[in-house]
Amino acid sequence: MPADSLATPAAAPASIPVARPAATGGGRIGSIDLARGLAVCLMIVSHGTNGLMPYADFPDWGQVPIHALTKFSSSLFFMVFGIALAVAFVPKTDAPDWPKRRNHLVRRGLLVLLWYKLLTVVELWDRGREAVVDALLYRSFPSFVEILGFYAIALLWIPWLLPLWARTPAVLRWASPLLVGGLWWWVSGHVDFDSQPLRAVLVEDHELYTWGQLSRLPLVLLGLLVGGLLLRWNQDPRTRLLLAGGIAVAGLLLLAAFAHLAGEPLRPVLVEVGRNHGKHPPGLLFSLFSVGGALVLLGLSVTGGNLLARWLKPLAVVGSDSLMAFIVHISVIFLLLRSVLGYYQAVSYEYALLLSGGLVVVTAAWIALWKAMRTRIRQARAQDGDGRAA
């Protein structure tokens, strides 16, 4: 199930901004690409296995630990989204060219929205025309590509609020995840929505599979806070390790709280987590497990920094262009593996897992090739321009 780089110093053709420190002019922060790449690759493993066979047919070791661990993906996506905004855009909100950067983000939101709709057709095509039309008109929602719907909408409104975030007092910024979480809880329980899809898009609904803007905003705000610290502390190994340790410890505490509240035996609860029980709207146990694991992965990524990102370059490459990763793996799963090869419910879990691992490699290779092609085209255009100028 689903889980989610903009390419100039301001933005790139993908769903979320790059981690390039705009304020300092430094290079790209590899640990953020690595964290995003971990989220994407966990998502591909989840989609690749669950896209070819139902969860009930997974062997015990496939349900727990493998598929349960993929639930770290979505929370890590939301946090990295906020981190990248804090690193690449918040420092530039008072710059003269901020309106241009803001509008670039909004245009990226429209691009993501376009691909969200196209990939919705790809996912639901075999369910019939009515299912496709309902999803395109927001009467229902897809499953595998729905996180793109969250990013598309978020990129249309969050950029307008980044200057306000930059001017907000630190106390309010640090309290914002809890305040917004409380607002979500109140709205979801006390506001009557005339439209069920609208309710789903804003605060989520038990009957519709989607990511709510308000319900997931606390994780984005948490990412904005972490991103602000990373921007200041990343250059010094000591402060970076201190930040990474704090992130990892917070994640371990949430996982410990999950284990304590789940009780014994733990495995049946993890099986329900793998079945997405408590995912939409976010429940306590699912959130503790998903956010806790995401924080641990984020802490490990920040600890390793650019060095670990170079060692695990395929993961960082995947994380450098999350929209392209979505386009590639969803297309391969639904068009090639299911429609052309007829693998849906026709392969073993072990083979589905092997295909998912191969899909991670293929996605990384395609993104690397795509970037190399774009670089060559830019270089050729630059040389052609220099030649005409001469």
Side-chain angles (χ1 to χ4, degrees):
M1 296 294 179
D4 177 215
S5 2
L6 297 171
T8 64
S15 56
I16 55 182
V18 303
R20 185 188 300 277
T24 63
R28 192 177 181 114
I29 298 180
S31 59
I32 305 306
D33 281 342
L34 178 59
R36 190 189 296 117
L38 287 171
V40 174
C41 292
L42 285 173
M43 176 189 63
I44 291 175
V45 170
S46 177
H47 288 176
T49 52
N50 215 12
L52 296 181
M53 60 192 307
Y55 181 72
D57 291 344
F58 286 13
D60 288 346
W61 59 271
Q63 294 179 346
V64 179
I66 292 180
H67 204 70
L69 293 179
T70 64
K71 302 308 168 185
F72 299 160
S73 175
S74 57
S75 295
L76 187 55
F77 258 122
F78 295 126
M79 285 188 286
V80 173
F81 177 49
I83 290 171
L85 287 173
V87 169
F89 290 93
V90 171
K92 287 295 185 179
T93 53
D94 59 351
D97 65 343
W98 168 246
K100 181 179 178 180
R101 294 173 182 269
R102 179 200 61 213
N103 294 340
H104 201 105
L105 276 176
V106 173
R107 287 195 297 272
R108 289 301 160 189
L110 295 174
L111 176 64
V112 175
L113 181 62
L114 173 63
W115 276 109
Y116 164 59
K117 292 303 183 181
L118 291 175
L119 293 177
T120 293
V121 175
V122 171
E123 177 184 338
L124 301 179
W125 189 258
D126 59 355
R127 298 189 190 181
R129 181 174 178 271
E130 183 178 354
V132 171
V133 172
D134 284 346
L136 291 178
L137 297 179
Y138 286 101
R139 292 197 290 259
S140 66
F141 297 89
S143 174
F144 291 80
V145 304
E146 184 50 39
I147 200 167
L148 285 185
F150 172 89
Y151 284 132
I153 296 174
L155 282 170
L156 297 180
W157 68 271
I158 288 181
W160 301 90
L161 296 185
L162 290 182
L164 177 62
W165 172 267
R167 296 192 299 268
T168 299
V171 173
L172 286 180
R173 286 203 306 270
W174 282 96
S176 62
L178 290 177
L179 294 176
V180 172
L183 177 63
W184 162 75
W185 175 83
W186 185 87
V187 171
S188 61
H190 297 84
V191 176
D192 293 327
F193 290 87
D194 294 332
S195 168
Q196 189 180 25
L198 178 62
R199 176 185 177 86
V201 167
L202 293 179
V203 298
E204 303 189 26
D205 185 90
H206 288 285
E207 298 179 5
L208 295 175
Y209 188 100
T210 189
W211 305 92
Q213 295 290 304
L214 188 57
S215 54
R216 307 298 166 167
L217 183 57
L219 290 179
V220 178
L221 295 175
L222 178 60
L224 281 166
L225 293 169
V226 172
L229 295 177
L230 184 63
L231 184 62
R232 294 195 298 270
W233 294 357
N234 185 63
Q235 298 302 318
D236 187 336
R238 293 172 298 179
T239 54
R240 190 186 77 241
L241 291 177
L242 179 63
L243 174 62
I247 294 171
V249 167
L252 291 173
L253 289 175
L254 291 183
L255 290 175
F258 163 80
H260 175 73
L261 294 176
E264 294 291 343
L266 186 60
R267 188 182 186 282
V269 181
L270 289 173
V271 171
E272 289 303 307
V273 168
R275 293 179 183 273
N276 292 328
H277 179 74
K279 189 173 186 179
H280 297 286
L284 177 60
L285 287 180
F286 187 97
S287 297
L288 287 173
F289 182 77
S290 179
V291 177
L295 286 171
V296 171
L297 293 180
L298 179 59
L300 293 175
S301 298
V302 174
T303 298
N306 291 343
L307 179 61
L308 185 60
R310 288 195 295 270
W311 286 350
L312 301 177
K313 188 174 181 178
L315 296 182
V317 168
V318 170
S320 69
D321 196 337
S322 54
L323 179 58
M324 181 61 72
F326 244 102
I327 295 168
V328 171
H329 90 271
I330 291 296
S331 299
V332 170
I333 291 171
F334 286 92
L335 297 180
L336 178 61
L337 300 182
R338 288 176 55 139
S339 297
V340 175
L341 299 179
Y343 282 174
Y344 182 58
Q345 296 189 8
V347 297
S348 66
Y349 177 79
E350 290 79 5
Y351 192 59
L353 189 61
L354 179 64
L355 289 172
S356 301
L359 186 51
V360 170
V361 176
V362 168
T363 302
W366 176 260
I367 292 175
L369 177 62
W370 178 259
K371 287 179 176 292
M373 291 172 57
R374 286 169 57 89
T375 299
R376 287 193 175 186
I377 291 173
R378 286 197 297 267
Q379 291 174 346
R381 288 177 176 174
Q383 292 175 356
D384 183 58
D386 291 342
R388 283 182 292 183

